[in-house]
Amino acid sequence: MTEDQFAALRDRMVDQQIRARGVVDPRVLAAVRQVPRHLFIPQHLWDQAYNDYPLPIGADQTISQPYIVALMTEILEVKETDRILELGTGSGYQAAILAELAAQVFSIDRMGDLARQAKEMLDSLGYKNVQIRVGDGTLGWPEEAPFDGIIVTAGAPKVPRPLTEQLALGGRLVIPVGDVWSQTLTCVRKTREGLKFEYHGGCRFVRLIGKYGWNGGQEAEARSD
Ligand code: SAH
């Protein structure tokens, strides 16, 4: 397939999967049209890169369904001057979308191999405003806080306290919260009156594993056996 053909598939994906379901922010839609999603997944899956489902990226992890990426990005309300923290770099695709929209993106993954591959792809595409770190993202990135937006692309049992602490006043935290098999897409807004919670429907993510996430995953393994 040529780059023009991939671009045509992206346009169709935006119209049929994303706009059709109610994501309307023009900046978000432009970013999704722009980023070559196929380059963030294994080559033997390229013909499925713009389909309406998540795909495996190795190490038992997945790149989210395109609609969910767009929806979470819209809920995050990213402005050009924003500094954004992402937990769960994975393939680096969501980080690329954020890099199109924000001033600076900080992304953390607990898996070194995924973080390194993502960094290489983002560098090769010329994104200069993304920093990637390997570690437990549930602790946040205190040296770079506060953040205007924080997005968590793995499912958490509860909202990790370090993340709300590292949110700027007026900032948004978008995070799937629930049990291992299904979560509610949750937006936490930091206001002068305190934290305000909004809920945006069901979703299903791989586990957020860490000090303020699933504790090493033991609970989850026990349930799936
Ligand atoms: N946003 C990614 C998809 C993320 S998949 C993309 O666009 O492709 C979920 C990722 O969360 C996995 O890579 C997993 O390693 C990572 N993860 C799980 N727990 C984490 C933690 N505590 N800190 C950082 N990353 C974590």
Side-chain angles (χ1 to χ4, degrees):
M1 241 184 280
T2 65
E3 288 309 312
D4 280 353
Q5 287 170 317
F6 280 123
L9 289 177
R10 273 199 298 283
D11 284 344
R12 202 171 71 182
M13 172 183 82
V14 167
D15 291 341
Q16 297 183 353
Q17 301 170 31
I18 298 175
R19 262 189 353 168
R21 291 199 184 97
V23 174
V24 294
D25 184 329
R27 295 185 71 233
V28 173
L29 299 179
V32 177
R33 281 188 213 279
Q34 183 68 32
V35 178
R37 179 176 160 95
H38 59 285
L39 297 180
F40 292 87
I41 62 174
Q43 193 160 3
H44 69 277
L45 297 173
W46 279 11
D47 59 340
Q48 300 177 60
Y50 300 99
N51 292 359
D52 196 13
Y53 43 77
L55 288 167
I57 53 169
D60 276 337
Q61 305 302 316
T62 52
I63 180 173
S64 305
Q65 179 190 15
Y67 164 65
I68 290 287
V69 173
L71 176 65
M72 290 176 81
T73 308
E74 184 177 63
I75 294 169
L76 197 60
E77 294 174 11
V78 185
K79 292 185 281 301
E80 275 167 14
T81 50
D82 279 357
R83 292 156 44 84
I84 305 288
L85 174 67
E86 178 192 27
L87 271 59
T89 315
S91 68
Y93 174 69
Q94 173 79 69
I97 298 283
L98 295 170
E100 294 278 344
L101 298 171
Q104 272 192 290
V105 179
F106 302 87
S107 185
I108 311 178
D109 206 289
R110 57 187 286 276
M111 293 189 176
D113 283 353
L114 286 177
R116 267 186 296 278
Q117 276 178 38
K119 175 80 184 131
E120 271 171 31
M121 184 48 66
L122 291 163
D123 283 349
S124 79
L125 290 173
Y127 290 107
K128 300 200 190 314
N129 56 343
V130 184
Q131 284 186 55
I132 294 181
R133 166 194 263 198
V134 178
D136 177 4
T138 68
L139 305 171
W141 192 323
E143 301 85 345
E144 295 293 348
F147 300 98
D148 304 295
I150 302 179
I151 178 169
V152 182
T153 60
K158 56 187 185 318
V159 176
R161 195 160 41 83
L163 301 187
T164 51
E165 286 170 359
Q166 291 176 32
L167 209 50
L169 193 61
R172 293 82 50 201
L173 162 63
V174 179
I175 178 170
V177 182
D179 64 28
V180 174
W181 306 111
S182 72
Q183 304 94 31
T184 302
L185 201 50
T186 304
C187 179
V188 186
R189 217 173 265 276
K190 195 170 205 169
T191 74
R192 284 187 202 285
E193 296 81 43
L195 299 177
K196 296 262 163 70
F197 288 71
E198 296 161 17
Y199 304 99
H200 294 269
C203 53
R204 182 173 180 174
F205 278 82
V206 298
R207 272 173 290 143
L208 182 73
I209 297 170
K211 183 165 181 206
Y212 296 89
W214 294 100
N215 184 15
Q218 282 106 352
E219 311 91 328
E221 303 307 344
R223 286 185 57 159
S224 62
D225 283 345

